[in-house]
C-alpha cells in the first residue's frame, strides 16, 4: 500500500444503523487519485440509474485526497452526491478542518447510504462508529447544532458537519456547514443529508498520514509555499479574500446587478474589500495549514446589524446577495448571508432566487406577501424570503425553495425569460455577456451553471494571454480549446481536493512533487490534465445516464435575448450562432458526438471504459 492514502472507505447505512469499511482498490488510487474522481466513479457505480436524489440509495459522500491531512498547503474537503436541484452529478467543496480529521480517523472517504427513521447524528471516533439520536437537535440552526454536538461529546476539538432547518425541510439548495464559517454550498447536498434525517457528522481521529519520503516532501512543501508567495493572485487573496473582485467585475461589466439585468452596479464599491473593511473585518483566518488565510473574520461594528460575528462576505455572496438584489449596505448583506449560513442555504442560489422573486414582484407576477414589497433594494423583503424559504411555512417559501427553474415553470408566463440558471443551478456571480468563453464554461459545467469548472472571464475581459496569444473577449474561435484545458486541469487537481485559490499559485510540477514524495509513486505534472479528461467523461456519462438532455447545454434566456444596457460590454448578448459554434467545437474536441455524448472510442482512450465497477460489500 502506498503511503498518504489511508487505504479504506467507511460505509454507513443509516437504514440499518450498520457500518463497515472497504479497502480502496488499487485501481481506484492509480487511475483516479481521490476527491472528485473517486466521487464520480462511486456515484456512478453505487447509484441505480434514475435514482431519486432523496432516495436512500443516493449516497452522500465526503471524499479526501492523498495530500489531505499533510502539510501540503491549501487543501479542502469534497462532498459528492446526486443533486436534488439539477438531477446531475454534484461535487461541492468546503474548507476548514473536517476533511483532515476524516483522514486522521483512518478513512479516505465516508459514504453514507440509507435513511434513518428518526433524526440522527453520526459519531466517528477513529474505528468506533455510532449512529446517535438527534431529535433534540432537529430544528436547530447549523451553527447551534455544531455547538450542541460538541457539548454532548464533551470535546470542543471534534470536527463537525451539520445542516440547518433548510436541509431538514429539503430546500433544494441547502448546504452542509463545516464548523462555523465554511460550507459545501452548491447544489443541495444539505437537502440530501436532510432526506437521510442526518443532522450532523462528528469526527475525531488520532492517526497520522504517513509520508513516503519526508525529506523530499518537506522540500516540495517549501516549493509550494514559494509558489504561493510568487503569485500576485494569491497575494491579492491574502489581502482582501475574494472581495476585490466586486470592483473588478463592476468595471468589466460582469457583475450581476438586479437579477443580471445589468453588469454594473452604481454602489458596487460599498461591497468590495475596502467597503467591507470599513464595517466588518478584524483579522485573517485560514483552513488547516493554509498560508493564504483568505478569511477575514470580524464583526459588524456599526449600524443596525452591529454585534454579530461574521466572516468576509466573499465575492459570490457580496454580488448575488448585494448588487444582484440592488442592496448596497454591506452590513445588511453580511446579515442576510449569515442568515443563510445559519439556516443552511447556499447564499449564491438564495441570492439568485430572491433576485428572481424581486423581478417577478416588480413585473406583477408575484404578489407582495404580508405587506412586504418585492422590489430591488428592499432588505426587509430579502430577509422575509430567506426565512420563508428555509422554513417553507408559506406558499411563497414553498415555491422558491424549489429554485428558480422550477419556480419559473410554476409561475408560467414569461417568468422563464428572467430565471437565471443553467441546468437548474442558479447562475454564479459572473454575467458572461461580453465574455464568450465564460458563457461556454457555464453551458458545459458538469454540475450546472458554475464558475469553478474553468473561468476564462478574467483573461477575456482584460485581454490577457493564453498560450502566447492575446485573448479576444468576444471571439468564439479557440474558446472551446482554452476552456477544455482549464476544465481538465481543474478537475484533475480536484482529485487532490485542493483549494482553487491555492491552485492560483502552486504549480503542476509542485503538486506532482508533493504527490510523488507523499505516496512513493512517480507522478508528473501532465497527469492532472489526463485525469481531468477522464473525470469530465465520467461525470458526463453519469449526467446522460440520469437524463441530461444536451439541449440543456445552454445559457439563461436573458444572456441570449437582452443586450447589456451599460458598461464596456454594452449592447452585447449571446447569439444562437455563436453558442452553436462554440458547443460544436467543444463536443468535437472532447471526442463527443454531435449530441454531446462521449463516443466509445473516447471512453476507451481516456481510460473510462476499462475501469472495473466498484462493488460495495454489504
Ligand atoms: S485559500 Fe482560503 S479557502 Fe483556500 S484553503 Fe486557504 S484559507 Fe481555506
Amino acid at each position: 500500500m502506498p503511503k498518504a492514502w489511508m487505504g479504506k472507505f467507511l460505509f454507513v447505512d443509516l437504514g440499518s444503523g450498520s457500518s463497515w469499511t472497504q479497502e480502496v482498490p488499487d485501481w481506484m488510487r492509480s487511475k483516479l487519485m481521490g476527491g472528485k474522481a473517486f466521487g464520480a466513479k462511486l456515484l456512478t457505480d453505487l447509484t441505480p440509474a434514475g435514482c431519486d436524489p432523496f432516495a436512500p440509495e443516493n449516497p452522500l459522500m465526503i471524499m479526501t485526497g492523498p495530500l489531505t491531512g499533510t502539510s501540503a498547503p491549501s487543501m479542502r474537503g469534497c462532498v459528492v452526491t446526486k443533486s436534488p436541484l439539477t438531477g446531475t452529478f454534484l461535487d461541492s467543496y468546503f474548507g476548514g478542518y473536517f476533511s483532515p480529521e476524516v483522514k486522521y480517523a483512518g478513512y479516505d472517504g465516508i459514504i453514507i447510504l440509507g435513511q434513518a427513521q428518526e433524526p440522527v447524528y453520526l459519531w466517528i471516533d477513529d474505528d468506533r462508529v455510532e449512529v446517535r439520536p438527534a431529535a433534540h437537535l432537529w430544528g436547530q440552526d447549523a451553527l447551534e447544532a455544531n455547538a450542541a454536538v460538541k457539548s454532548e461529546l464533551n470535546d470542543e476539538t471534534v470536527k463537525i458537519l451539520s445542516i440547518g432547518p433548510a436541509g431538514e425541510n429539503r430546500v433544494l439548495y441547502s448546504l452542509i456547514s463545516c464548523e462555523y464559517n465554511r460550507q459545501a454550498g452548491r447544489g443541495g447536498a444539505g437537502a440530501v443529508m436532510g432526506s437521510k434525517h442526518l443532522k450532523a457528522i462528528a469526527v475525531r481521529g488520532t492517526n497520522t498520514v504517513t509520508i513516503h519520503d519526508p525529506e523530499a516532501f518537506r522540500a516540495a512543501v517549501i516549493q509550494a509555499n514559494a509558489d504561493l508567495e510568487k503569485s500576485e493572485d494569491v497575494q491579492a487573496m491574502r489581502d482582501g479574500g475574494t472581495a476585490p473582485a466586486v470592483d473588478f467585475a463592476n468595471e468589466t461589466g460582469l457583475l450581476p446587478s438586479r437579477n443580471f439585468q445589468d453588469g454594473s452596479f452604481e454602489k458596487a464599491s460599498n461591497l468590495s474589500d475596502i467597503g467591507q473593511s470599513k464595517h466588518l473585518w478584524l483579522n485573517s483566518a485560514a483552513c488547516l495549514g493554509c498560508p493564504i488565510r483568505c478569511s477575514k473574520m470580524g464583526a459588524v461594528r456599526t449600524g443596525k446589524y452591529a454585534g454579530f460575528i461574521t466572516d468576509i462576505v466573499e465575492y459570490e455572496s457580496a454580488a448575488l446577495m448585494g448588487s444582484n438584489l440592488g442592496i448596497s449596505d454591506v452590513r445588511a448583506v453580511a446579515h442576510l448571508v449569515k442568515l443563510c449560513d445559519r439556516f443552511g442555504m447556499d447564499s449564491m442560489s438564495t441570492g439568485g432566487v430572491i433576485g428572481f422573486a424581486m423581478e417577478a414582484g416588480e413585473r406583477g407576477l408575484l404578489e407582495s406577501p404580508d405587506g412586504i414589497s418585492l422590489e430591488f433594494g428592499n432588505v426587509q423583503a430579502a430577509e422575509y424570503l430567506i426565512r420563508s424559504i428555509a422554513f417553507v411555512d408559506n406558499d411563497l417559501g414553498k415555491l422558491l425553495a424549489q429554485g428558480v427553474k422550477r419556480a419559473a415553470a410554476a409561475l408560467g408566463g414569461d417568468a422563464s425569460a428572467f430565471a437565471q440558471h443553467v441546468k437548474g443551478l442558479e447562475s454564479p456571480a459572473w454575467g458572461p455577456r461580453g465574455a464568450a468563453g465564460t458563457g461556454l464554461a457555464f453551458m458545459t459545467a458538469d454540475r450546472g451553471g458554475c464558475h469553478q469548472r474553468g473561468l476564462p472571464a478574467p483573461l477575456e475581459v482584460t485581454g490577457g494571454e493564453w498560450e502566447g496569444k492575446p485573448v479576444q473577449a468576444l471571439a468564439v474561435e479557440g474558446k472551446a480549446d482554452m476552456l477544455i484545458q482549464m476544465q481538465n486541469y481543474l478537475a484533475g487537481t480536484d482529485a487532490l481536493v485542493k483549494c482553487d485559490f491555492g491552485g492560483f499559485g502552486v504549480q503542476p510540477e509542485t503538486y506532482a512533487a508533493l504527490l510523488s514524495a507523499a505516496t512513493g509513486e512517480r507522478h508528473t505534472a501532465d497527469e492532472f490534465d489526463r485525469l481531468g479528461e477522464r473525470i469530465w467523461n465520467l461525470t458526463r456519462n453519469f449526467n446522460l445516464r440520469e437524463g441530461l438532455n444536451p439541449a440543456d447545454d445552454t445559457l439563461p434566456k436573458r444572456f441570449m435575448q437582452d443586450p447589456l444596457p451599460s458598461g464596456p460590454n454594452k449592447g452585447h448578448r449571446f447569439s444562437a450562432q455563436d453558442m452553436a459554434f462554440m458547443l460544436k467545437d467543444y463536443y468535437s474536441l472532447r471526442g463527443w458526438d454531435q449530441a454531446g455524448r462521449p463516443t466509445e472510442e473516447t471512453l476507451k482512450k481516456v481510460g473510462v471504459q476499462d475501469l472495473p465497477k466498484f462493488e460495495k460489500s454489504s
Side-chain angles (χ1 to χ4, degrees), residues 506-523:
V506 179
Q507 298 300 300
E509 294 76 14
T510 310
Y511 280 134
L514 286 163
L515 267 175
S516 300
T519 63
E521 296 176 328
R522 186 170 173 275
H523 291 273

Side-chain angles (χ1 to χ4, degrees), residues 231-306:
S231 162
E232 285 179 15
D233 290 336
V234 167
Q235 293 314 318
M237 204 68 68
R238 181 176 283 156
D239 292 342
T242 55
V246 174
D247 285 333
F248 170 77
N250 189 51
E251 286 157 17
T252 51
L254 297 163
L255 188 72
S257 182
R258 296 177 176 85
N259 198 31
F260 290 89
Q261 291 181 73
D262 210 337
S264 52
F265 180 55
E266 61 278 8
K267 293 182 180 168
S269 61
N270 291 1
L271 304 168
S272 72
D273 51 331
I274 293 170
Q276 291 197 30
S277 65
K278 282 183 192 158
H279 299 290
L280 307 181
W281 295 351
L282 293 174
N283 208 345
S284 296
C287 306
L288 179 67
C290 178
I292 303 176
R293 298 171 66 79
C294 74
S295 284
K296 303 285 168 228
M297 293 307 295
V300 174
R301 297 194 296 271
T302 58
K304 177 180 170 188
Y305 303 102

Side-chain angles (χ1 to χ4, degrees), residues 1 6 27 69 77 110 131 193 202 274 290 344 358 365 382 387 453 523 616:
M1 156 66 74
M6 308 311 281
W27 61 263
I110 301 171
V131 179
M193 194 158 153
I274 293 170
C290 178
M358 286 177 165
L365 283 171
R387 291 181 188 279
R453 303 289 173 269
H523 291 273
K616 80 179 158 67

